[in-house]
Amino acid sequence: MAPKTSACWTKLPPSFLLPSISRRSIQSIHPPRPSRFNNHPDLPVLTSSSTAALERKAYTLPLRTGLLAIKKGMTALYDPDSGKRTPCTVLQLDRCQVVSHKTRRKNGYFAVQVGSGHKEPRNVTRPQLGHFSANGVSPKRHVSEFRVRGEEGLLAVGEVLGAGWFQEGQFVDARANCRGMGFAGGMKRHGFGGQPASHGTSLTHRAMGSAGQSQGGGSRVLPGKGMPGRMGGQQVTTQNVKVLKVDEEKGIIVLNGNISGPDKTIVKLQDAIKKPWPAISSSPPPTPTIAEAVETAATR
């Protein structure tokens, strides 16, 4: 018969009766390298989120919305004292009005949608007509968005913006589509020198020439290589343009120098980013209503 085992065989003796076993390990003399992944509790919080990107970009966004104007042409102003001639561009506003808003909660950013001109309802698509009718604004021929820094830059829907939105002496950024040149060759589009005028050159005097290397350069055309193609017709921004004259009654703004684009093109005007913000209230000056305008015209 097997001997009976005690009931406490699973219990270990006290620790001071157990033999001491020292654990040996190989430790590196070099400290561990910091992880290139931002997952350590001591590392700063990631700044690659959309909220952090908007905060970084907030310093480059204007405080107020802009306007849509029509380029009427160029003229010159003369200084009566010195006789100095200053070339300038004349812009005119045409029923510029706030159409809608873009908010950060719904769209991810703050912006004001501004419309200009007039368009017959029968020539407007149904989605656009529904957009205008939902905001209580008549159909506009030209619609554009202007980014603003925060919610305080959002104007009331339907508010009319006049030439007094800008003041004389301040600086603005003007954006317009430059004049299209059509399909142009390499010499006209990129200023290439062309091929030799003689010494065996035949029928290729204005040709582009080589487009890239052979085996040494990868046997391919490098990205960004200048080639013939459509020239012009893209948006050009002219920064830090000074406002010379403002006529609120006629809706005319006179800018210093030239602006890209032919006459009758649409120009987007907004406060200059690289200049101090003008000391102007965020709300537009009071605009007379239609009844007041009719009454004023009748008295004249």
Side-chain angles (χ1 to χ4, degrees):
M1 185 176 178
K4 294 182 178 180
T5 58
S6 60
C8 60
W9 64 273
T10 56
K11 294 182 179 180
L12 295 176
S15 59
F16 62 89
L17 296 178
L18 294 175
S20 60
I21 302 176
S22 60
R23 296 183 179 180
R24 297 181 179 180
S25 62
I26 302 176
Q27 298 182 357
S28 176
I29 61 175
H30 300 285
R33 295 182 178 179
S35 175
R36 63 188 181 93
F37 300 101
N38 197 357
N39 54 6
H40 196 272
D42 297 336
L43 295 178
V45 183
L46 279 175
T47 58
S48 58
S49 61
S50 58
T51 304
L54 290 173
E55 292 179 357
R56 291 193 300 268
K57 197 177 292 185
Y59 296 96
T60 62
L61 293 177
L63 301 175
R64 311 185 305 159
T65 180
L67 299 178
L68 291 178
I70 302 174
K71 182 178 178 181
K72 307 301 291 186
M74 292 195 65
T75 182
L77 297 178
Y78 291 88
D79 189 357
D81 298 331
S82 62
K84 181 180 179 181
R85 179 181 183 274
T86 303
C88 55
T89 304
V90 180
L91 307 177
Q92 188 173 18
L93 305 182
D94 183 15
R95 288 161 283 189
C96 197
Q97 194 174 8
V98 178
V99 177
S100 65
H101 294 158
K102 293 294 181 68
T103 58
R104 182 173 296 181
R105 171 174 292 184
K106 185 177 180 180
N107 307 102
Y109 60 96
F110 291 106
V112 179
Q113 192 179 59
V114 179
S116 176
H118 176 71
K119 201 171 185 180
E120 291 293 334
R122 57 188 177 89
N123 296 332
V124 182
T125 60
R126 288 187 176 181
Q128 292 181 347
L129 195 62
H131 176 66
F132 289 121
S133 62
N135 296 316
V137 181
S138 61
K140 300 295 182 181
R141 180 167 296 274
H142 307 284
V143 179
S144 181
E145 285 187 6
F146 292 92
R147 294 281 302 272
V148 293
R149 179 180 298 183
E151 191 174 0
E152 62 277 0
L154 302 179
L155 300 179
V157 176
E159 200 160 3
V160 180
L161 304 177
W165 186 248
F166 299 110
Q167 63 180 359
E168 296 182 3
Q170 79 163 104
F171 294 88
V172 296
D173 292 340
R175 298 176 176 86
N177 292 334
C178 64
R179 184 168 59 92
M181 305 289 184
F183 193 92
M187 294 183 65
K188 181 177 180 181
R189 191 184 185 195
H190 302 288
F192 292 165
Q195 304 300 321
S198 59
H199 299 287
T201 304
S202 301
L203 305 179
T204 57
H205 300 283
R206 298 182 62 87
M208 181 185 68
S210 175
Q213 304 89 344
S214 181
Q215 183 177 0
S219 299
R220 64 193 182 97
V221 178
L222 298 178
K225 177 68 178 72
M227 291 186 177
R230 294 188 61 181
M231 180 180 178
Q234 70 269 16
Q235 180 176 276
V236 177
T237 302
T238 307
Q239 294 183 332
N240 306 331
V241 184
K242 189 176 182 179
V243 179
L244 299 180
K245 295 289 183 180
V246 173
D247 191 341
E248 175 67 24
E249 183 179 359
K250 297 181 181 179
I252 292 178
I253 301 176
V254 181
L255 302 181
N256 182 27
N258 62 325
I259 302 298
S260 298
D263 294 346
K264 300 181 181 181
T265 188
I266 295 297
V267 181
K268 303 176 185 178
L269 296 178
Q270 201 166 12
D271 295 334
I273 296 178
K274 297 182 179 180
K275 293 291 184 178
W277 304 120
I280 308 175
S281 60
S282 58
S283 60
T287 304
T289 60
I290 298 177
E292 294 177 352
V294 173
E295 184 179 357
T296 305
T299 55
R300 292 181 181 178

